[in-house]
Amino acid sequence: MGKALEGVRILDFTHVQSGPTCTQLLAWFGADVIKVERAGEGDATRGQLRDIAGVDSLYFTMLNHNKRSMTLDTKRPDGKKVLETLIRQCDVLVENFAPGALDRMGFSWERIQELNPRMIVASVKGFGPGPYEHCKVYENVAQCTGGAAATTGFDDGPPMVSGAQIGDSGSGLHLALGIVTALYQRNTTGRGQRVLTAMQDAVLNLCRVKLRDQQRLERNGVMEEYPQFAEGRFGESVPRAGNASGGGQPGWILKCKGWESDPNAYIYFIAQAQVWPSVCKLIGREEWILDPDYATPKARLPRLMAIFAAVEEWSTTLTKFEAMDILNKYDIPCGPILSMKEIAEDPSLRATGTIVEVDHPERGSYLTVGNPIKLSDSPTEVRRSPLLGEHTDELLSELGYSPEQIAMLREERVI
Ligand code: COA
């Protein structure tokens, strides 16, 4: 079966996490992704957080599947010539260097357009134009400047970053959409264009509901579904809402059997309005079905924490999976807190290819997250990440370099 992006060639100048997640997705959709790495060391993540000495780290292998790797010193004149050939022959250049690095290398947008007016140049940067545009940025900086940290955690504690890499992988996802959209527009214009995802913007986009709440707070002074509502404690900006549901249906994380020793023996429980009578029956509080203090969603709002405490009395008698089974029988929305160990061992995630076991010549087999986006006509086959420079010769000969020229470049340490 063909692949959606077959025939698209990507010059992958990315490193660390944000850029590589983007080009990995494009590779899974069938693009030919050529990862250009610094001769000698390559992407810094190859050597970071290593679990096996001398072997590419999981950090690297899990972000660079289905790519080919070539080494190239793009600061040397002969390296620049190879890069020029690559630019002429590729459709997209993706990079996430520190601001200005591509210009300093001699490859400004204008220069790239001279070489290939059809080229799409896609970048991840920490910030868009403005006071911080020259700053280097990592994941948690983006979470802090994009609104996530200020709105995550409990209001009696400090701001909190999330385990989900919304700054890096979130930006990579946004950038991938920008790239395929620019490729689509190129079909009619014949021209390339620049695509920029600022990590701050990507995080803010994912925190959209919190900007909604900021405006609701400014207008009304309170937000009824926030845990602060019961005590009327609101300040000037959106508070941290703990585990409260961000939507219109109140929810909270409740303890389950074993919570004293198992940090993940919890369930997320949602008091959806439609199933309120079932909730009351299940926890033995039938009187709440008609009690005017509890009968309507509005009446329940100031009493939510007491309601969750009552449901928790019930949930602590059950494991999170037992609670999930019972609540689902009554159509009550909920979800167990799955540990990474449980997720790694989940047979249904393996069956759908969301968790994949991949073989690697140096590390043996390892688990990775496969393509979370499933296309019925473009199935994803996850192939291991390339070794550093594994495809340098193959790619240079595809670009028209003779074996002698390749040997010369190697001798000069350009590759
Ligand atoms: N050959 C020669 N030089 C190369 C090269 C190659 N193949 N590939 C990269 N380089 C050079 C760059 O040109 C740059 O040189 P310069 O500083 O002289 O201009 C240098 O390597 C370092 O690149 P840089 O991007 O500055 O790396 P860093 O390790 O200092 O910073 C980040 C890392 C992630 C902080 C920074 O790249 C950044 O802010 N990126 C944008 C935001 C981002 O994606 N952050 C998330 C990362 S998960």
Side-chain angles (χ1 to χ4, degrees):
M1 201 182 273
K3 295 281 157 66
L5 294 182
E6 226 157 58
V8 175
R9 277 191 129 185
I10 313 262
L11 199 177
D12 180 9
F13 235 161
T14 67
H15 66 154
V16 205
Q17 185 181 166
S18 66
T21 57
C22 165
T23 50
Q24 176 168 262
L25 277 171
L26 302 175
W28 280 337
F29 290 135
D32 180 10
V33 175
I34 301 167
K35 182 155 175 124
V36 176
E37 296 180 77
R38 227 185 304 207
E41 52 200 293
D43 187 331
T45 59
R46 285 187 186 269
Q48 283 173 353
L49 312 178
R50 272 191 173 141
D51 57 326
I52 307 175
V55 171
D56 283 340
S57 69
L58 287 165
Y59 193 6
F60 178 84
T61 58
M62 291 178 69
L63 295 170
N64 289 285
H65 293 104
N66 295 47
K67 304 180 184 179
R68 296 196 279 172
S69 161
M70 73 180 288
T71 54
L72 189 65
D73 186 337
T74 56
K75 288 196 171 161
R76 295 186 188 222
D78 284 342
K80 285 190 201 299
K81 280 193 200 137
V82 176
L83 191 58
E84 284 174 9
T85 314
L86 275 165
I87 290 172
R88 284 198 187 90
Q89 297 196 13
C90 289
D91 300 281
V92 187
L93 184 157
V94 192
E95 62 92 21
N96 67 313
F97 293 130
L102 207 56
D103 292 338
R104 287 193 290 278
M105 214 183 263
F107 292 89
S108 62
W109 164 243
E110 292 72 25
R111 176 71 187 128
I112 293 170
Q113 276 206 303
E114 270 169 28
L115 294 165
N116 179 359
R118 287 175 59 79
M119 173 148 269
I120 290 154
V121 177
S123 305
V124 172
K125 295 291 167 248
F127 296 95
Y132 301 130
E133 67 185 300
H134 302 296
C135 301
K136 287 183 178 180
V137 166
Y138 284 105
E139 169 69 47
N140 288 342
V141 176
Q143 290 206 26
C144 291
T145 55
T151 54
T152 304
F154 289 85
D155 68 353
D156 57 355
M160 185 76 62
V161 295
S162 145
Q165 303 286 282
I166 55 177
D168 280 340
S169 290
S171 296
L173 258 170
H174 283 83
L175 192 71
L177 178 60
I179 291 169
V180 290
T181 306
L183 280 167
Y184 188 77
Q185 192 173 15
R186 195 180 71 171
N187 289 336
T188 47
T189 64
R191 278 186 286 115
Q193 60 182 302
R194 275 175 291 181
V195 180
L196 171 67
T197 294
M199 294 169 71
Q200 180 185 37
D201 300 8
V203 171
L204 178 57
N205 185 35
L206 299 174
C207 291
R208 178 172 294 263
V209 296
K210 298 297 178 181
L211 185 57
R212 171 200 69 192
D213 291 351
Q214 181 61 34
Q215 295 171 83
R216 292 172 59 220
L217 181 64
E218 283 170 18
R219 188 174 299 274
N220 300 324
V222 293
M223 291 181 292
E224 294 180 327
E225 79 284 13
Y226 273 64
Q228 288 80 359
F229 178 64
E231 292 169 27
R233 286 181 292 111
F234 284 98
E236 284 188 345
S237 57
V238 173
R240 294 188 263 288
N243 289 315
S245 150
Q249 304 286 354
W252 201 252
I253 287 184
L254 307 179
K255 290 170 184 158
C256 292
K257 194 194 256 177
W259 66 273
E260 297 90 338
S261 55
D262 176 353
N264 295 306
Y266 290 84
I267 192 162
Y268 199 90
F269 165 83
I270 299 177
Q272 193 201 22
Q274 295 88 312
V275 292
W276 178 243
S278 302
V279 172
C280 298
K281 282 182 207 152
L282 205 58
I283 63 170
R285 300 287 176 108
E286 280 90 341
E287 69 277 13
W288 281 355
I289 300 175
L290 297 175
D291 183 336
D293 281 349
Y294 292 88
T296 64
K298 196 164 174 53
R300 290 194 287 274
L301 281 170
R303 300 176 177 80
L304 282 176
M305 294 323 280
I307 292 169
F308 292 137
V311 182
E312 194 168 63
E313 271 177 41
W314 170 83
S315 66
T316 39
T317 64
L318 302 159
T319 69
K320 61 188 175 186
F321 295 111
E322 288 166 349
M324 168 88 172
D325 284 348
I326 296 171
L327 289 168
N328 269 303
K329 268 192 203 122
Y330 296 94
D331 248 358
I332 301 168
C334 63
I337 309 307
L338 295 182
S339 69
M340 264 303 149
K341 185 173 175 4
E342 287 162 338
I343 289 171
E345 291 164 359
D346 186 314
S348 58
L349 291 176
R350 303 268 184 130
T352 56
T354 296
I355 298 233
V356 191
E357 205 165 320
V358 181
D359 213 17
H360 187 277
E362 293 181 341
R363 69 162 42 254
S365 92
Y366 65 96
L367 283 189
T368 195
V369 183
N371 192 348
I373 305 167
K374 321 285 188 206
L375 267 61
S376 63
D377 277 0
S378 182
T380 297
E381 174 207 338
V382 179
R383 296 196 307 273
R384 71 165 172 86
S385 60
L387 303 176
L388 178 60
E390 183 174 348
H391 306 96
T392 306
D393 291 35
E394 173 184 305
L395 283 160
L396 284 172
S397 66
E398 279 176 29
L399 294 175
Y401 283 78
S402 69
E404 294 72 31
Q405 288 172 312
I406 296 173
M408 186 73 83
L409 289 172
R410 183 155 287 124
E411 201 161 302
E412 290 169 3
R413 305 194 67 73
V414 171
I415 56 172

